């Protein structure tokens, strides 16, 4: 990335310092919080140790073989029964799911069968499995890793043309005094994207275009993350039609996703409004007093990575070529959203679309008398991609933790223990505890679709036993798991923090109040639903 930067305030360019008796300065505090890589490595080791002490166990899993047109029932001992793909088969197994959810592909992952949990032989991970899981987790994440590397190359190419700086200079002149409106617009867009289609992992594409703008407005890295990641996660927590959370969870619970939608919409409105007030309070403080920033000590690194120069005459020359370059760059993002929402795109297709636009921008950069050489623009692409390597590896390492837990066969054991915990509880106590159970399970299984197919066929019938509608249990699933995903190091947040040079401890300081709010709001809405419908 560019080493030049915009300084919102000269005094904000240095980390917090205090004066010693000798007249020298030193950084406050003697403890440096571990980096994202260290945190994930320690969690991987802890996960491996857990496989030695937590008993291994499995539920029977039912899945649909589209080629054979049959249901496969895989038992804990590994044997497989081939069964007719009928509603009667599911009813006999106690799986309260419409067979069409399997036949249509809505449920493509194996679904847990209630009442089938069995302890199996221990599958303890060895210390040799730790680096292997880290490598294999990275391989499993290769689709998003390639997307991130292409994204980095696109950013590098655009920055090399000077289009970022020129466009930013023009934007800051037009938005002076109305900067927070951009935060509102971005937050609302992300909240809707999260609620409609689970726009979270794809959101990494928005940091490069918004981080330089937020810097120029005098905001910090945490403000950027709050407006994009936190707003998107809030939207996903209160999903309306998100196929990766509420729809798949409803299918796994055997109900229509439209049940309980009014409550989710109400929660989305309340949650988004409160989040906007929280972001406004924090961003206003940072803008007025940069040293208030929770990530102040890393401010210089953030600005060095994402800041752009905006004072030279060359920057002020917003040529037609630069305008067209920025139009192409900006076009990549609505194109991605359209592809995800209406065409079923996933990371390979998104990466291909970004790469196509990058190639066009690189060709344009080489045109004209003052055009860049082929070597210069290729080097810019390579440099941009290399700056994203750390971010890409973080995603793979996080998946390695889940691989250790799954290969150790202790995820189902934790689910069975959680089931036993809430069994026998009634009414409001049951539903609030269920939400807290999903909060804890969100750390172990940070995938919303993965946790849905594992847990909802088990948990939804428990709601029946206490006279609570299943859609309330689906709400408990959404609101509990996503409160954890705001901060779970096994989720997407670590890659985001790595990208924007924010320490995990600094993010926790900012995000914990929102986690608490999410749990309290969720508990209140759940209790009201129980009182109304039970």
């Amino acid at each position: 990335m560019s080493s030049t930067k915009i300084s919102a305030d000269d005094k904000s360019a240095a980390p917090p310092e205090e004066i010693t008796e000798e007249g020298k300065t030193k950084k406050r505090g003697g403890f440096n919080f571990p980096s994202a890589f260290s945190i994930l490595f320690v969690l991987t080791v802890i996960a491996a140790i857990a496989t030695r002490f937590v008993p291994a166990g499995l539920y029977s899993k039912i899945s649909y073989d589209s080629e054979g047109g049959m249901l496969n029932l895989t038992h804990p001992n590994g044997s497989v029964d081939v069964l007719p793909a009928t509603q009667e088969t599911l009813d006999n197994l106690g799986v309260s799911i419409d067979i069409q959810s399997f036949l249509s592909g809505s449920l493509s992952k194996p679904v847990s069968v209630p009442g089938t949990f069995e302890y199996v032989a221990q599958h303890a991970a060895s210390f040799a499995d730790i680096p292997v899981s880290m490598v294999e987790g990275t391989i499993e994440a290769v689709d998003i890793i390639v997307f991130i590397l292409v994204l980095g190359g696109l950013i590098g190419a655009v920055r090399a043309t000077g289009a970022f700086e020129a466009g930013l200079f023009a934007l800051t002149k037009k938005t002076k005094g109305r900067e927070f409106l951009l935060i509102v617009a971005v937050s609302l867009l992300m909240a809707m994207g999260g609620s409609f289609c689970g726009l979270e992992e794809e959101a990494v594409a928005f940091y490069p275009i918004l981080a330089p703008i937020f810097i120029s407005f005098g905001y910090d890295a945490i403000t950027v993350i709050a407006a994009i990641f936190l707003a998107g996660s809030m939207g996903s927590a209160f999903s309306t039609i998100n196929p990766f959370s509420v729809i798949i969870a409803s299918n796994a619970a055997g109900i229509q996703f439209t049940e309980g939608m009014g409550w989710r919409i109400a929660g989305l409105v309340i949650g988004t409004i409160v989040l906007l007030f929280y972001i406004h309070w924090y961003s206003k403080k940072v803008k007025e007093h940069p040293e208030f920033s929770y990530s102040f000590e890393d401010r210089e690194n953030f600005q060095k990575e994402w800041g752009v120069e905006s004072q030279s005459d060359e920057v002020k020359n917003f040529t037609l070529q630069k305008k067209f370059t920025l139009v192409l760059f900006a076009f990549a993002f609505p194109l991605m959203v359209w592809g995800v929402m209406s065409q079923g795109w996933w990371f390979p297709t998104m990466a291909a679309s970004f790469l196509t636009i990058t190639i066009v921008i690189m060709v344009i950069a080489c045109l004209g008398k003052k055009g860049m050489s082929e070597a210069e623009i290729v080097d810019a692409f390579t440099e941009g991609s290399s700056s994203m390597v750390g971010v890409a590896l973080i995603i793979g390492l996080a998946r390695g933790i889940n691989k250790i837990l799954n290969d150790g066969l202790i995820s189902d054991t934790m689910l069975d223990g959680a089931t036993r915990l809430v069994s026998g509880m009634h009414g409001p106590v049951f539903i609030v505890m269920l939400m807290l159970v999903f909060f804890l399970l969100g750390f172990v299984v940070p995938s919303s679709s993965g946790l849905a197919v594992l847990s909802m066929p088990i948990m939804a019938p428990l709601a029946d036993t206490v006279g609570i509608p299943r859609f309330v249990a689906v709400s408990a699933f959404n609101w509990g798991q996503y409160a954890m995903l705001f901060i779970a190091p096994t989720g997407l947040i670590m890659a985001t923090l790595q990208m924007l040079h924010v320490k995990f401890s600094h993010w926790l300081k900012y995000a914990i109040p929102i986690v608490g709010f999410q749990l309290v709001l969720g508990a209140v809405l759940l209790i009201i639903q129980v009182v109304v419908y039970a």
Side-chain angles (χ1 to χ4, degrees):
M1 296 297 174
S2 171
S3 61
T4 55
K5 62 186 178 183
I6 291 177
S7 179
D9 192 310
D10 290 339
K11 65 181 179 180
S12 67
E17 296 175 335
E18 62 181 9
I19 305 299
T20 65
E21 292 181 359
E22 293 79 9
K24 298 179 181 180
T25 60
K26 67 176 182 179
K27 291 184 179 180
R28 291 174 183 165
F31 173 72
N32 288 324
F33 201 82
S35 67
F37 285 95
S38 298
I39 292 172
L40 291 177
F41 176 74
V42 170
L43 289 176
T44 305
V45 173
I46 293 174
I49 294 173
T51 62
R52 293 181 173 273
F53 295 98
V54 178
L58 286 171
Y59 283 94
S60 294
K61 303 291 196 308
I62 189 79
S63 60
Y64 177 63
D65 179 8
S66 58
E67 294 184 0
M70 303 290 283
L71 291 172
N72 291 334
L73 177 63
T74 304
H75 296 283
N77 62 9
S79 63
V80 179
D81 293 339
V82 180
L83 305 172
T86 64
Q87 188 64 53
E88 183 181 2
T89 299
L90 295 179
D91 292 341
N92 290 336
L93 291 172
V95 178
S96 304
I97 299 176
D98 189 337
I99 187 62
Q100 289 301 319
S101 296
F102 287 95
L103 301 181
S104 66
S106 297
L107 290 177
S108 58
K109 298 180 180 180
V111 173
S112 302
V113 178
T116 61
F117 178 81
E118 295 180 14
Y119 291 107
V120 298
Q122 205 71 19
H123 283 62
S126 67
F127 285 106
D129 291 327
I130 294 174
V132 170
S133 70
M134 299 167 87
V135 172
E136 292 182 349
T138 303
I139 293 172
E140 289 181 2
V142 67
D143 52 354
I144 187 173
I145 288 175
V146 171
F147 171 73
I148 288 174
L149 294 179
V150 171
L151 172 63
L154 169 61
I155 298 162
V158 173
R159 286 199 163 191
T161 67
F164 259 138
E165 290 86 340
L168 183 58
F169 181 77
L171 178 66
T172 51
K173 290 198 302 181
K174 293 183 178 181
T175 58
K176 190 171 182 61
R178 303 186 301 275
E179 294 87 354
F180 188 73
L181 290 179
L182 178 63
I183 294 180
V184 173
V186 170
S187 299
L188 291 177
L189 173 66
M190 293 307 304
M192 289 188 293
S195 184
F196 296 161
C197 64
L199 197 67
E200 293 163 336
E201 289 180 320
E202 299 86 350
V204 297
F206 292 96
Y207 294 110
I209 193 173
L210 291 172
I213 297 173
F214 280 39
I215 290 177
S216 69
F217 289 166
Y219 301 132
D220 66 349
I222 287 180
T223 305
V224 182
I225 300 173
I228 299 176
F229 171 80
L230 205 52
S233 296
M234 182 67 74
S236 295
F238 294 99
S239 296
T240 51
I241 58 174
N242 181 352
F244 305 109
S245 61
V246 69
I247 291 183
I248 196 170
S250 297
N251 286 339
I255 62 173
Q256 294 295 317
F257 76 91
T258 52
E259 296 183 51
M261 183 177 290
W263 293 94
R264 299 196 299 270
I265 292 175
L268 176 63
V269 172
I270 296 171
T272 303
I273 290 174
V274 171
L275 179 60
L276 283 173
F277 273 105
Y278 186 56
I279 296 175
H280 179 264
W281 166 79
Y282 178 81
S283 62
K284 183 179 180 181
K285 285 276 191 179
V286 170
K287 189 175 179 65
E288 294 175 349
H289 306 285
E291 65 278 5
F292 178 81
S293 169
Y294 295 167
S295 60
F296 186 78
E297 66 184 75
D298 297 314
R299 185 181 181 90
E300 188 172 358
N301 288 333
F302 174 60
Q303 291 185 335
K304 181 178 180 181
E305 183 79 12
W306 297 105
V308 293
E309 181 62 53
S310 65
Q311 302 301 322
S312 67
D313 292 336
E314 177 63 24
V315 165
K316 297 177 182 180
N317 186 19
F318 199 15
T319 63
L320 181 62
Q321 185 183 46
K322 292 178 180 178
K323 290 179 181 178
F324 188 53
T325 296
L326 277 186
V327 168
L328 284 173
F329 176 73
F331 175 69
F333 301 94
L335 176 66
M336 177 192 72
V337 174
W338 170 79
V340 171
M341 295 186 67
S342 65
Q343 304 301 308
W345 285 9
W346 198 235
F347 287 106
T349 310
M350 289 189 288
S353 68
F354 273 50
L355 183 59
T356 301
I357 291 174
T358 303
I359 293 172
V360 175
I361 288 175
M362 293 171 74
V363 171
I364 293 174
C366 295
L367 300 177
K369 294 181 179 179
K370 295 184 178 181
M372 302 175 66
S373 68
E374 177 269 344
E376 288 175 331
I377 194 65
V378 170
D379 285 346
F381 176 87
T382 304
E383 182 182 350
S385 293
S386 66
S387 69
M388 292 291 188
V389 170
V391 177
L393 291 178
I394 286 293
I395 294 174
L397 295 180
R399 293 198 179 188
I401 298 172
N402 305 127
K403 184 169 180 59
I404 286 280
L405 295 173
N406 290 333
D407 291 349
L409 307 183
I410 63 175
S411 296
D412 281 13
T413 303
M414 294 179 183
L415 175 59
D416 180 66
T419 303
R420 297 175 187 275
L421 177 65
V422 297
S423 294
M425 295 181 179
H426 297 283
V429 176
F430 167 83
I431 202 64
V432 172
M433 284 302 299
L434 187 61
M435 180 186 68
L436 295 178
V437 162
F438 282 123
F439 175 73
L440 298 176
L441 290 176
F443 182 91
V444 180
V445 186
S447 166
S448 56
S449 59
L451 184 57
V453 297
L454 284 176
S455 64
M456 290 314 300
I458 309 297
M459 296 299 191
L462 290 180
D464 295 342
T465 63
V466 294
I468 294 176
R470 292 192 176 191
F471 72 81
V472 184
V474 171
S475 294
F477 159 78
N478 274 322
W479 302 341
Q481 186 197 30
Y482 271 96
M484 171 57 75
L485 293 185
F486 291 165
I487 57 174
T490 51
L492 183 63
I493 186 58
M494 297 304 284
T496 301
L497 300 180
Q498 177 73 17
M499 181 182 289
L500 296 181
H501 302 283
V502 175
K503 288 185 173 64
F504 185 57
S505 57
H506 297 158
W507 175 247
L508 285 179
K509 183 177 180 180
Y510 181 85
I512 286 296
I514 289 297
V515 172
F517 162 75
Q518 168 73 29
L519 292 175
V520 170
L521 175 61
V524 170
L525 292 176
L526 289 172
I527 291 172
I528 293 175
Q529 289 179 78
V530 168
V531 171
V532 171
Y533 297 104

